[in-house]
Structure formats: structure tokens, C-alpha cells
Amino acid sequence: MPPACLLMGTLWLLLAALNPAWGSNNTLPLVMWHGMGDSCCNPLSMGAIKKMVEEDLPGVYVLSLMIGKTIAQDTENGFFLDVNTQVSMACEQLAQDPKLKGGYNAMGFSQGGQFLRAVAQRCPSPPMKTLISVGGQHQGVYGLPRCPGETSHICDWIRKMLNSGAYRDLVQKHLVQAQYWHDPLNEDLYRTHSLFLADVNQERMVNESYKKNLQSLEKFVMVKFLQDSVVDPVDSEWFGFYKPGQGTETETLQESALYKEDRLGLAAMEKAGKLVFLASEGDHLQFSREWFDAKLLPYLR
């Protein structure tokens, strides 16, 4: 073997040893976060998506976040564990995983979409490269018309708590969905008492590190489901919401004060071509493999 080839081969092996993300496949690792009522490893949902990605991108490392010590805890925590605590737990997992040191892509489903955005804003190391939000409620929700697990008493109980007082301290601290409940009729109450969403959306003050960290993304992809029966309003999946003071007429991200004042840097990101708005026919999180491969897979390669 010529000396130059031998040198290059040795260098490649050295780099692969130093960076576990290198190897036979140099596709960035993928981190996924499930939605409400789901778990990291459900074979009919997140487990199936993990398998699908691994088939489409041979050799890729896929981490499906488990918040808790067991799958049962992971599911339960999606309803009852403070979101800020969940995000901290996720950040700790990512920081301790040597396979992510070189950076990773992220894909969040439903509430997992906004939770991963919080990870991007709060935890820049290891670096998130592309964030794909699949039906994430980035401006929150004002209603829970159909939550996963409809046969369970949990959904009825959650609705009762949200309707009776989403911004009570006890409800905020112990009900995940209350932490992204956004009441357009009581914006001051929301800004004052929302423990999670009002913070990550810069509603009380502008945290420059949040803005800087989010802008470091190469792409921020948002998927909206056009027949969504779970998210109210569905515009939240593209960062839109109800116009302040009423719960009927919506406005787009570009029409919002958040965008016009550029509190998160989204206007600058759109100008730089970093924001991607995708639409999918169908209900919440309902998509075909063909749609996934055509629309989302290119952002993971």
C-alpha cells in the first residue's frame, strides 16, 4: 500500500476512534421524543419509527428518549412530571452519551416537539443540528378535544383540571398539559403563571442565550396535520395561535408579536432559510412511510 494511502487509512481509524459518531455510516445520530400517552419504545409507534429510520439509514444511531427508569414511568411522566424537570433529564442523557458528541438531529412528536425545542434553547452541548417537530404545539393549546388514551379516565381528569384552573400553582406543577396551556383570553395570567411555555417562548423576558442557541440550528422543520383533531388550534404546529383577546380567529407566526419583535430569532431564521413548514393530510401524527421518506428523511441524511 502506498505510504499516502496508509497514512490516510490510519488517520481515518484514529478519527473514528476519537468520535463514536463516525464509522461505517457518517449520518448524524437521531434523538427522538415521544408525545403524550406514548413511550420511548412502544413497538406500534416510536419503536416502529426507530426501526423505519434504521432501515432507511443503515448504521445510523437512534436514541428514543425514556424519561424515567421504566417504560411505565416514561408514559406516566408525559402526563404528570414537570416539563422543566423532563427537559433537564433529557439534557443530562444527551450530555452523557458519547455517540452524540459530534452533534445530532432531533425529531419530536406532538408535545415532544416543543420539549426538544426547549432542549435546543437550553442545552447547546452536544449541538442539535436539525430539529423536526411533528405536530408539536409551539404556541401551546387552548383546548384538548381528543387526547391519546381516550378510554382512560386520565383524559377526562386532565380536561377537568385544565378547565377549572390551568394556572393554579398545584395544577401547573403537576400536570404537563397545563404547562403549555395558552389562554388567549387571559394573556397576563398565562405570562405570569405558565411554568414552561411562557419561558421558552420569551413571553416574560428575552433570554439571549435561548435566542442564540435556537438560531444555531441548521434547520427547524415544523409539520402541521391539516385534519388534526387533537391540537387546538392546529396553527400552533406552525407557531401560529389565536389572536390575543379572543379564541376564534387565528394568526400566523409571521403576524405575531413574537415574530415581529423577533424574541426567539425566528424571523432571522426564516430570512436565512432555516425554517421549513410542511403540511400533511390526515389526523394527528397520522402519516404514511412514503410521506415520511419523501418529506422528512432528506433532513436526516
Side-chain angles (χ1 to χ4, degrees):
M1 179 182 292
C5 294
L6 182 62
L7 178 62
M8 288 301 294
T10 302
L11 180 60
W12 190 93
L13 289 172
L14 178 61
L15 288 171
L18 290 174
N19 188 349
W22 281 51
S24 60
N25 186 292
N26 61 4
T27 301
L28 279 174
L30 174 64
V31 173
M32 303 193 303
W33 199 333
H34 62 81
M36 172 176 62
D38 203 355
S39 72
C40 63
C41 313
N42 185 334
L44 299 179
S45 56
M46 299 302 290
I49 293 171
K50 181 177 185 290
K51 182 179 179 182
M52 186 168 69
V53 171
E54 290 170 341
E55 289 174 353
D56 288 336
L57 303 173
V60 70
Y61 173 62
V62 181
L63 171 64
S64 186
L65 289 169
M66 181 168 72
I67 307 301
K69 295 181 179 180
T70 66
I71 291 176
Q73 276 187 3
D74 184 31
T75 303
E76 183 178 310
N77 286 340
F79 289 109
F80 303 118
L81 182 63
D82 173 62
V83 181
N84 297 301
T85 300
Q86 293 193 53
V87 171
S88 295
M89 291 170 68
C91 289
E92 186 176 354
Q93 286 186 49
L94 302 183
Q96 292 178 353
D97 192 329
K99 294 182 180 180
L100 304 179
K101 285 185 178 180
Y104 64 95
N105 294 322
M107 183 181 296
F109 297 84
S110 197
Q111 67 183 25
Q114 69 248 37
F115 297 173
L116 277 172
R117 174 166 64 85
V119 170
Q121 292 175 207
R122 294 175 177 175
C123 308
S125 180
M128 185 186 297
K129 302 296 187 178
T130 290
L131 170 59
I132 301 175
S133 168
V134 186
Q137 308 92 351
H138 293 283
Q139 278 283 19
V141 297
Y142 184 53
L144 200 68
R146 184 177 68 81
C147 82
E150 198 63 61
T151 58
S152 170
H153 68 279
I154 290 177
C155 288
D156 289 332
W157 183 83
I158 288 173
R159 288 192 191 93
K160 203 171 289 183
M161 291 299 99
L162 292 174
N163 290 331
S164 65
Y167 299 121
R168 294 178 184 176
D169 288 346
L170 190 65
V171 177
Q172 276 287 309
K173 289 176 182 176
H174 298 288
L175 183 58
V176 165
Q177 290 69 35
Q179 293 190 18
Y180 57 86
W181 183 263
H182 186 170
D183 187 345
L185 307 181
N186 294 284
E187 290 282 355
D188 289 341
L189 200 62
Y190 156 70
R191 292 189 187 97
T192 303
H193 294 284
S194 171
L195 294 180
F196 171 70
L197 190 68
D199 175 64
V200 295
N201 280 3
Q202 311 270 47
E203 298 282 5
R204 290 188 283 266
M205 59 171 283
V206 174
N207 182 326
E208 291 296 337
S209 68
Y210 283 6
K211 188 173 179 178
K212 177 184 176 183
N213 293 339
L214 190 64
Q215 286 181 298
S216 70
L217 288 174
E218 295 173 4
K219 292 288 183 184
F220 180 11
V221 182
M222 288 172 269
V223 177
K224 174 181 176 181
F225 292 91
L226 299 180
Q227 280 77 48
D228 203 310
S229 64
V230 174
V231 177
D232 184 11
V234 68
D235 307 71
S236 186
E237 296 175 357
W238 277 359
F239 240 115
F241 202 64
Y242 291 115
K243 292 181 178 180
Q246 49 82 57
T248 304
E249 191 177 352
T250 60
E251 64 184 9
T252 65
L253 165 65
Q254 291 76 9
E255 294 169 329
S256 69
L258 175 71
Y259 185 90
K260 291 175 180 177
E261 297 169 7
D262 211 13
R263 297 197 301 267
L264 269 177
L266 293 171
M269 290 178 72
E270 184 168 42
K271 187 175 181 181
K274 292 185 175 185
L275 298 188
V276 180
F277 300 90
L278 298 179
S280 175
E281 297 289 344
D283 204 348
H284 193 61
L285 302 186
Q286 300 301 307
F287 54 85
S288 67
R289 178 164 186 166
E290 290 73 22
W291 183 91
F292 183 95
D293 287 350
K295 300 295 184 179
L296 300 185
L297 199 64
Y299 295 102
L300 301 180
R301 293 191 184 281

